[in-house]
Amino acid sequence: WAASAVARGPLERFAATATLRAIDPPPESMPAPRTGSRAAAPDVRPPPSLDLTATIASFAHWPVATLPARTTALDLSSFSEAWPATGLSGTVDVQATGLEAPMQFVARLDNDRAGRWDQRRLPLRHADAQLRADLRRRDALDIGSFDIALAGVAGQDAGHWRGGGRWSGDALQLQTTLAGVREQLLDARALAALASGTLDLTISGLP
């Protein structure tokens, strides 16, 4: 990996950018080798990357005014062997106008390497999420909505998980709906079941 960072503008309000690029792209991002006398059709994908751009208001109560991020073919397993192999591409936009207004998060991600958990993959094909945070309360987060398209091997449709909720203190509460979730496509060790209906969760003891 190679990283770089640049800042431009007056100290009062300036723009900062940071980039992270894979130096040696994974095999699937490079052209396929020639076979016999004819070249096989190349499967060319862009190398993994992560780009951050921030607008910094140095003397404001909350200095980060905007923080858009864009990722291309990002593989989480390249950072830790404990994380699944992914090909995440998409955007995450953060907007904050001050302590009085909530910080807004909008995320949209695609994963072109979806697969089962037992294959060390992430069974997610697409995800949208909208979140809000009160900057005066660092221990709370409103999950306005999320919509996750689940997928198994080769992008097989494995259903949807939608909902919203709130994280407050050490507790997370979610009100969600499952639609046509095919559990064995998420993990081969699961039952061959089809799940649909409401799923409300309360998780406590979070950091």
Side-chain angles (χ1 to χ4, degrees):
W1 291 90
S4 64
V6 177
R8 293 188 177 89
L11 180 60
E12 182 178 2
R13 189 178 180 89
F14 64 92
T17 60
T19 62
L20 184 66
R21 295 280 188 278
I23 298 175
D24 296 318
E28 56 265 34
S29 69
M30 296 185 288
R34 295 180 179 274
T35 303
S37 59
R38 297 180 59 188
D43 180 16
V44 180
R45 302 182 188 181
S49 65
L50 176 64
D51 297 274
L52 298 172
T53 303
T55 301
I56 308 296
S58 302
F59 306 111
H61 290 295
W62 182 261
V64 182
T66 63
L67 183 62
R70 179 179 296 276
T71 179
T72 302
L74 191 65
D75 182 5
L76 295 180
S77 67
S78 65
F79 299 103
S80 171
E81 292 182 356
W83 293 357
T86 60
L88 296 173
S89 299
T91 59
V92 178
D93 291 322
V94 180
Q95 299 284 339
T97 58
L99 290 176
E100 298 75 19
M103 177 182 285
Q104 305 281 347
F105 301 79
V106 179
R108 185 179 182 87
L109 293 172
D110 293 297
N111 177 22
D112 67 2
R113 298 181 66 191
R116 301 193 312 260
W117 276 117
D118 59 290
Q119 295 178 318
R120 299 177 61 85
R121 295 292 184 96
L122 183 67
L124 175 151
R125 184 177 70 249
H126 177 81
D128 288 306
Q130 297 184 21
L131 298 87
R132 295 182 303 274
D134 186 341
L135 296 176
R136 295 166 297 185
R137 287 197 59 193
R138 307 297 173 85
D139 63 343
L141 178 68
D142 286 321
I143 305 171
S145 65
F146 66 85
D147 187 344
I148 298 175
L150 302 168
V153 179
Q156 290 175 284
D157 182 15
H160 274 79
W161 186 31
R162 302 180 176 95
R166 180 174 175 79
W167 181 6
S168 181
D170 68 346
L172 172 65
Q173 293 184 320
L174 294 175
Q175 296 79 45
T176 73
T177 301
L178 301 175
V181 174
R182 303 164 67 185
E183 298 178 22
Q184 207 164 57
L185 291 183
L186 307 181
D187 192 315
R189 297 165 293 188
L191 297 175
L194 183 67
S196 294
T198 58
L199 175 64
D200 295 340
L201 300 171
T202 298
I203 304 172
S204 58
L206 297 174

